[in-house]
């Protein structure tokens, strides 16, 4: 593994972690909003946001590990598409339930 490959893996991992952290911050805000509204249906976006945060963190770890491998293969197009779908569904649930 070259040092450039190591740096790329680190940058990619950090980007995914920042995205997961931002998603977790949104989850906390949605939980606060749900508590202010006495829970009910407003908890659904918070639960979806929590699941999305976990998904983003897991995909990021997997991608970083794949890049650090001796011979990294091509990236899976499915995982980023899944992450995009999760973010979109979460955002749509906020519109519907808030």
């Amino acid at each position: 593994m070259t040092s450039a490959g190591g740096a790329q893996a680190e940058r990619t991992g950090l980007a995914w972690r920042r995205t997961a952290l931002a998603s977790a911050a949104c989850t906390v805000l949605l939980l606060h909003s749900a508590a202010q509204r006495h829970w009910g249906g407003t908890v659904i976006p918070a639960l979806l946001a929590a699941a999305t945060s976990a998904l983003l963190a897991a995909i990021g770890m997997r991608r970083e590990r794949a890049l650090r491998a001796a011979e990294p293969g091509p990236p899976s197009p499915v995982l980023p598409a899944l992450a995009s779908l999760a973010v979109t569904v979460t955002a749509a649930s906020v519109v519907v339930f808030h």
Side-chain angles (χ1 to χ4, degrees):
M1 175 171 58
T2 66
S3 62
Q8 178 188 1
E10 184 175 356
R11 283 191 308 270
T12 299
L14 288 171
W16 278 99
R17 279 186 220 126
R18 280 190 307 268
T19 303
L21 183 59
S23 178
C26 290
T27 301
V28 170
L29 292 173
L30 287 168
L31 282 170
H32 175 72
S33 176
Q36 293 291 321
R37 295 170 185 239
H38 304 290
W39 304 100
T42 58
V43 77
I44 293 170
L47 294 174
L48 288 170
T52 298
S53 297
L55 178 67
L56 289 168
I59 291 172
M61 287 187 331
R62 179 182 167 108
R63 182 68 185 132
E64 184 176 6
R65 221 176 303 127
L67 285 173
R68 289 187 186 278
E71 292 186 29
S76 168
V78 174
L79 295 178
L82 183 61
S84 296
L85 178 64
V87 169
T88 302
V89 168
T90 300
S93 75
V94 171
V95 171
V96 170
F97 291 101
H98 270 93

